[in-house]
Each structure stands twice: as structure tokens, then as C-alpha cells.
Amino acid sequence: MAKPVLRKPKKKSNPLKVAKIAVIDYKDTATLRKFISDRGKIRSRRVTGVSVQEQRQIARAVKNAREMALLPYTSSAR
């Protein structure tokens, strides 16, 4: 019986590199909403495909935007 060929899964493309975003700003709520789930949680690196440093910047920007009332803390779907 032949052994199945194992293929390496394709690495996720970085959405910030694709959109050519160099600086993550808390005032750019349209970009930040892409990194927030429908329940209001910050999406993980494994889901979004960003680097560790970019994930930290995203988390800080989302928290600042929530503090400034630009983004909700939780979704209003409840």
C-alpha cells in the first residue's frame, strides 16, 4: 500500500501587509474591526495571520479605541 503524500499547509497571508498598512492606529476603526470577532473579542494570531509584534499593536489599538468609545467593548447583539 502506498504512503499518502503529506503536504505542508499554506501559510496565511498577513492582511496588514496585503493592505500595505505600516502603522496600526486606534482611530482607524474600519481596520480594527477586521481583527474583532462578532462577539467583541480580539481574534487570535492563528486566525488573523499577523506577526507577534503586530498582534500586540492591534490589541493595544483596540483597547485604546474602546477606551475612547470608538469601538464597543462587547457586541450589542444580545
Side-chain angles (χ1 to χ4, degrees):
M1 189 166 140
K3 227 179 183 182
V5 178
L6 296 176
R7 287 190 293 154
K8 199 162 95 175
K10 185 179 175 189
K11 189 173 184 282
K12 277 190 180 289
S13 63
N14 189 332
L16 296 175
K17 299 274 192 253
V18 171
K20 296 179 182 167
I21 298 172
V23 179
I24 301 165
D25 191 19
Y26 74 93
K27 293 173 272 192
D28 189 8
T29 57
T31 303
L32 292 178
R33 284 187 192 274
K34 296 176 187 174
F35 298 100
I36 299 176
S37 70
D38 57 341
R39 300 187 73 188
K41 297 184 178 186
I42 300 172
R43 293 187 192 271
S44 68
R45 278 189 58 237
R46 293 175 66 184
V47 173
T48 58
V50 296
S51 69
V52 176
Q53 292 84 4
E54 290 167 340
Q55 180 69 18
R56 286 189 186 131
Q57 291 173 357
I58 289 168
R60 178 60 46 213
V62 167
K63 289 175 184 179
N64 284 340
R66 285 175 175 166
E67 189 71 25
M68 297 290 175
L70 299 174
L71 290 174
Y73 277 95
T74 59
S75 82
S76 58
R78 288 186 168 200

